[in-house]
Amino acid sequence: MLRHCAPGSPCPGPLRQALPPSATALRHRLRQCAERIPEAEAVLDLLEKCPEHQKKGNFPVIVFEGLDATGKTTVTEAVKDNLNGILLRSPPPCISQWRTVFDDEPTPIKRAFYAAGNYILASEIAKASTQAPVIIDRYWHSTAAYTIATETNGKLQDLPPAHDEVYQWPEDLLKPDLVLLLTVDPEERVQRLQRRGLEKTKEEAELEANSLFRQRVEESYRRMVNPACQEVDASSSKEEVLKTVLQLINKH
């Protein structure tokens, strides 16, 4: 596993290792473990089929980010219906069945899998955005925010400083037009999760048990640039949240 940052000191080196900065870097990492993990070879095969330079179509591409139970599923479905759009999710269905395999791997391999999902998704976005508005449930910012929060120990001041390059969008990854970050009160979010009654992922259990980890994830989202996240309070009714979101989309 990677060395974590010492409290009070950002550690860009290990973070760079944990977060592949390009398709070339993540391919290299997946090749290193493909002999041991057959699913890595399958992911590589899918990556090889993706055009190297993805170009967006004429329709808008809108990403929704946020922790689990902030309303992403409800809002993305509603926005898709409202805009007659196409809804996509990260990781895409073609690799989702391998999440449990990679979630048990060391951080560099796990993050390479999720990063690969973004590049495979970009190929789908490029095609879909020539036909209709594209709504996306999580994209690169999720991969980056969870990596930064996991690989940084301690409080918010222990995160890499704002404007550090770990918050930058990869140069070779198709960019969305707008990224909306849904947030809710921590207690409300936990209540929503309990009402769902679903089995928790490792990261969700960590979010619930460790308020500092949750704060690091949310602050990492807020520090993302090029494109940055626009924050939306998703604590109110579904109708109010949808109204706010549609206003932001129309304004943009």
Side-chain angles (χ1 to χ4, degrees), residues 3 66 125 246:
R3 173 179 62 83
I125 296 168
L246 290 174

Side-chain angles (χ1 to χ4, degrees), residues 10-138:
C11 58
L15 271 173
R16 303 284 184 278
Q17 295 169 32
L19 195 61
S22 66
T24 301
L26 70 89
R27 281 192 188 100
H28 176 69
R29 190 171 300 168
L30 288 170
R31 284 194 195 100
Q32 288 179 320
C33 65
E35 202 169 293
R36 181 173 62 82
I37 310 169
E39 292 83 357
E41 190 66 56
V43 174
L44 280 165
D45 288 343
L46 288 167
L47 273 172
E48 293 303 327
K49 294 172 184 173
C50 298
E52 194 168 331
H53 300 288
Q54 310 283 5
K55 288 195 175 179
K56 192 178 77 65
N58 292 326
F59 286 93
V61 175
I62 304 149
V63 176
F64 286 85
E65 294 284 6
L67 307 181
D68 283 350
T70 52
K72 290 189 306 303
T73 301
T74 301
V75 173
T76 52
E77 290 281 358
V79 172
K80 179 205 74 170
D81 293 342
N82 199 279
L83 301 182
N84 293 318
I86 297 169
L87 177 58
L88 301 174
R89 290 186 171 88
S90 180
C94 59
I95 67 168
S96 288
Q97 71 268 29
W98 301 320
R99 287 180 74 165
T100 52
V101 173
F102 287 93
D103 280 349
D104 287 334
E105 290 295 327
T107 296
I109 297 170
K110 176 181 177 180
R111 296 306 172 191
F113 167 75
Y114 283 101
N118 291 313
Y119 284 89
I120 294 167
L121 181 63
S123 186
E124 297 179 14
I125 296 168
K127 182 179 178 181
S129 61
T130 64
Q131 304 164 4
V134 181
I135 317 303
I136 308 169
D137 185 340
R138 289 188 168 172

Side-chain angles (χ1 to χ4, degrees), residues 8 10 22 26 39 59 73 84 86 130 154-155 163-164 169 193 200 202 206 210 231-232 245:
S22 66
L26 70 89
E39 292 83 357
F59 286 93
T73 301
N84 293 318
I86 297 169
T130 64
K155 300 178 181 178
H163 311 300
D164 189 281
W169 192 270
L193 280 167
K200 294 173 190 169
K202 287 181 180 178
E206 176 77 1
N210 187 339
E231 199 164 333
V232 176
V245 162

